Amino acid sequence: MNQPIDFRSDTITRPTKAMLEAMFSAEVGDDVFNEDPTVQKLEKKAAAIFGKEAGLFCPSGTMTNQIAIKLHTQPGDEVICDKLSHIYHYEGGGIAFNSAASVRLLDGVNGVFTRDQFIASINPDDIHHPISRLLVLENTCNKGGGTVWPDEMMKDVCDAASEAGIKRHLDGARVFNALTYTGSKPEQLGKNFDTISICLSKGLGAPVGSVLIGSSNDMKRAKRIRKLFGGAMRQSGYLAAAGIYALDNHVERLNHDHQNAQLLAQTLKETSWACDIIEPQTNILIFSLKDRSKGKDFLSILKNHGILAVSFGPYTFRLVTHLDISDQQIEQACKILKTIVI
Ligand SMILES: *Cc1c(COP(=O)(O)O)cnc(C)c1O
């Protein structure tokens, strides 16, 4: 059989030849001594895109999120986020472990909640309650099926936070997918947040890395926390060069991944076995099986047909389109999905 068609995640991509060449020719130094020009270039570039002053290159998006949470909270404070949040589900309990903060989960729709829901979750100034200190949005929302926050709703929620003296962080692991969908300006989005975490290793196709961006003061403090978390790196310019290449060359093509996700969704709708398909706005497609009892076998059925996916619950699954999925593979995958009988 051919290579399996791998829809498990947009993190599985390998650097392209041109990206590798950019990495090989990077000018580097010891970044812990502030001597890596390529890391500095990436940090400035990422910050400038969103109208922020400074950036901090980190090994992962988990680390950029966790640094931001640490930066904005004190032990005992409360973080407000949606119930589907990556920071809550997929960061190993880091909010409790790293920041000793509590979490208030909001009951949004695919990761998107309203200003009123948010305001209702802010604790009164009363010694019984933890202090509501930080709001975290996720855009796009992974567990919500790559859902995009509408600009107005995002602004409404973030303005409410600002009025209440609550800090605002964006988990923007896939923020370029969101911007591709809305067509909005990144500087406009940037105004809503104190800090933003951007992943280079998702849809953008870099092998490693995320950047946290924000004010110079915040990034100075964040750098201290990065050191504390063990995330200060040395000649990381080789990795930063991949990030710079990705920002220059892999943002415009994201729309193609989105179109591919729609082709897959269309195909799933035509099958007899898929249900609760979350209409993909970006590159993530989440669906469930009508026959829930088949949930435990479904991944191996797919695998036997040459398609890889991940489960997002006992009978719910996720397919992600990305740079290493060719048009031919999409065509092939759609054909295969139509032949599967469950
Ligand atoms: C992938 C992801 C992250 C960061 O994950 P790492 O694997 O640590 O880079 C953060 N938030 C969301 C929504 C993600 O999808």
Side-chain angles (χ1 to χ4, degrees):
M1 204 193 314
N2 295 331
Q3 281 281 99
I5 308 173
D6 197 341
F7 294 112
R8 285 174 303 164
S9 175
D10 45 7
T11 55
I12 63 115
T13 56
R14 309 282 203 303
T16 60
K17 192 156 181 289
M19 181 181 277
L20 282 172
E21 275 160 14
M23 294 169 75
F24 273 129
S25 55
E27 199 186 328
V28 300
D30 188 329
D31 187 53
V32 181
F33 291 157
N34 295 318
E35 285 175 3
D36 192 304
T38 309
V39 170
Q40 287 169 14
K41 187 175 165 194
L42 169 66
E43 291 174 342
K44 283 208 186 78
K45 186 182 179 74
I49 291 172
F50 291 89
K52 297 291 179 202
E53 289 172 348
L56 190 69
F57 184 45
C58 292
S60 70
T62 299
M63 189 179 282
T64 46
N65 281 335
Q66 291 298 319
I67 289 174
I69 294 164
K70 185 84 182 150
L71 174 73
H72 296 304
T73 62
Q74 293 297 320
D77 287 349
E78 192 152 270
V79 177
I80 302 171
C81 63
D82 187 80
K83 65 180 189 296
L84 301 181
S85 299
H86 192 278
I87 57 164
Y88 178 73
H89 283 280
Y90 299 121
E91 300 189 7
I95 302 176
F97 189 87
N98 296 314
S99 298
S102 71
V103 186
R104 178 74 67 93
L105 296 178
L106 296 185
D107 188 18
V109 177
N110 296 330
V112 177
F113 46 84
T114 64
R115 176 187 166 99
D116 287 347
Q117 280 179 295
F118 166 62
I119 289 175
S121 76
I122 302 173
N123 286 329
D125 183 7
D126 171 323
I127 57 164
H128 292 88
H129 304 296
I131 298 171
S132 304
R133 189 76 75 181
L134 173 65
L135 165 71
V136 180
L137 304 194
E138 188 175 311
N139 195 25
T140 68
C141 176
N142 174 27
K143 222 173 159 53
T147 308
V148 179
W149 271 81
D151 284 340
E152 277 304 305
M153 286 183 83
M154 179 183 291
K155 186 171 184 308
D156 282 351
V157 169
C158 289
D159 285 353
S162 187
E163 284 155 25
I166 293 174
K167 295 286 181 180
R168 303 148 301 166
H169 172 69
L170 176 67
D171 179 351
R174 296 188 180 83
V175 68
F176 287 104
N177 296 87
L179 290 166
T180 299
Y181 180 79
T182 59
S184 309
K185 295 224 160 18
E187 317 90 78
Q188 205 58 36
L189 179 143
K191 286 189 185 134
N192 294 310
F193 299 98
D194 296 286
T195 51
I196 302 176
S197 161
I198 302 156
C199 286
L200 303 164
S201 60
K202 299 271 166 86
L204 299 190
V208 176
S210 290
V211 187
L212 182 66
I213 60 171
S215 70
S216 304
N217 265 343
D218 275 350
M219 290 309 102
K220 192 167 172 224
R221 288 180 52 226
K223 201 166 201 173
R224 207 169 238 295
I225 301 168
R226 185 183 66 175
K227 182 67 183 163
L228 171 75
F229 285 179
M233 300 180 283
R234 301 295 178 172
Q235 286 73 29
S236 38
Y238 291 118
L239 299 173
I244 293 169
Y245 182 88
L247 288 172
D248 286 339
N249 297 281
H250 290 170
V251 173
E252 295 211 335
R253 58 159 304 288
L254 288 173
N255 196 39
H256 199 75
D257 295 342
H258 300 180
Q259 287 165 356
N260 283 343
Q262 282 179 16
L263 289 175
L264 291 173
Q266 194 51 46
T267 303
L268 283 181
K269 282 182 206 158
E270 291 163 18
T271 67
S272 58
W273 41 266
C275 66
D276 298 334
I277 300 164
I278 302 179
E279 190 64 41
Q281 294 178 331
T282 56
N283 68 330
I284 297 176
L285 174 56
I286 292 181
F287 63 96
S288 296
L289 293 184
K290 283 183 189 156
D291 183 349
R292 296 179 172 189
S293 71
K294 297 283 167 38
K296 60 182 187 335
D297 300 324
F298 185 65
L299 284 182
S300 47
I301 294 172
L302 276 186
K303 195 172 174 183
N304 290 338
H305 283 83
I307 292 179
L308 303 181
V310 296
S311 66
F312 252 35
Y315 46 84
T316 302
F317 300 89
R318 184 187 78 167
L319 300 172
V320 186
T321 55
H322 53 77
L323 184 60
D324 284 1
I325 296 280
S326 65
D327 290 349
Q328 204 187 348
Q329 284 177 309
I330 284 290
E331 216 177 289
Q332 177 77 7
C334 289
K335 263 191 213 148
I336 294 170
L337 290 170
K338 281 181 193 157
T339 65
I340 289 177
V341 183
I342 304 250

